[in-house]
Amino acid sequence: MSERECSRRCKLGIVLCVGVVAFIWLMGNAVADERRLQEWTKSEQPDYLSSPRSIVVDGSGNIYIASAFDNRILRFNSKGKFIAKWGGEGRGEGHFEIPSAIAADSRGNIYIADTGNNRIQKFTADGKFITKWVISRDDDWHMEGFPCGIAVDGRGNVYVADAETHRLQKFSSKGKFIATWGDYNSGEDYNDDSSDCDDDNDGDNGDCDDDDRDD
């Protein structure tokens, strides 16, 4: 074996060894993270998270997790101490079918994209049901959509990502429809501001009147 060939094999061996070590390190960290997450949640209550899909922190530092496969919302303080949980599988108020996204407004209210039930549900910080509304996938609101993302802006407007229609929809904090935009087929933006909420001078579409907001 030539000196060049020997050197090449040595370098290849070193690269393989480094790759194996890096893989083992990454897998070890993943297992450790999963173990810490399980210990974090079971330390204060017997249930485990089951496919956590989304997480949000409210203005007080409380942490809310949407646990999709067991259809529950769990609340913890910033140190991981369990505070409350609510939910369960079903179509009734306060029940879910794969909750996949969660958001909080400035007043501490929690919004859940109840994906399998094609709707948004709104709760107090303690899990008390407030209201719900259906996400539609056609302009006549006859067919249900597939909400998979949600966000709330500083004025309390709720934005929902509908994976069925590849559109965003905007609502008031009470679920009143304001606008929609996006169209997968045409590739062009679509905006239908058919509500009573007028544009303001700053271009904020759908800034609703005070009587459409929570007390």
Side-chain angles (χ1 to χ4, degrees), residues 55-196:
I55 185 170
V56 71
V57 181
D58 67 15
S60 300
N62 296 304
I63 300 169
Y64 298 82
I65 301 174
S67 186
F69 286 177
D70 53 1
N71 300 293
R72 294 179 303 121
I73 305 301
L74 291 88
R75 178 185 176 190
F76 301 85
N77 68 14
S78 59
K79 295 183 179 180
K81 181 179 180 181
F82 174 75
I83 299 175
K85 63 179 179 179
W86 69 88
E89 185 176 4
R91 294 190 62 85
E93 295 176 354
H95 290 79
F96 308 102
E97 190 67 43
I98 311 182
S100 59
I102 187 169
D105 65 20
S106 60
R107 299 180 179 181
N109 297 311
I110 304 300
Y111 299 78
I112 309 297
D114 187 6
T115 304
N117 285 326
N118 317 106
R119 65 187 180 184
I120 303 301
Q121 294 199 65
K122 179 181 178 181
F123 301 87
T124 66
D126 296 324
K128 182 179 179 181
F129 176 81
I130 298 176
T131 190
K132 64 184 177 182
W133 63 90
V134 172
I135 300 301
S136 170
R137 63 186 175 100
D138 69 359
D139 294 335
D140 294 326
W141 300 86
H142 293 152
M143 303 181 72
E144 295 174 335
F146 198 75
C148 63
I150 191 167
V152 184
D153 67 18
R155 296 182 176 181
N157 296 307
V158 181
Y159 300 83
V160 179
D162 181 4
E164 181 69 24
T165 61
H166 310 278
R167 297 186 302 178
L168 295 180
Q169 297 186 36
K170 180 179 180 180
F171 301 86
S172 74
S173 61
K174 294 182 179 180
K176 181 178 180 180
F177 175 74
I178 298 174
T180 184
W181 62 91
D183 187 341
Y184 176 78
N185 292 323
S186 70
E188 298 177 355
D189 291 338
Y190 172 69
N191 189 359
D192 178 17
D193 188 10
S194 57
S195 72
D196 295 331

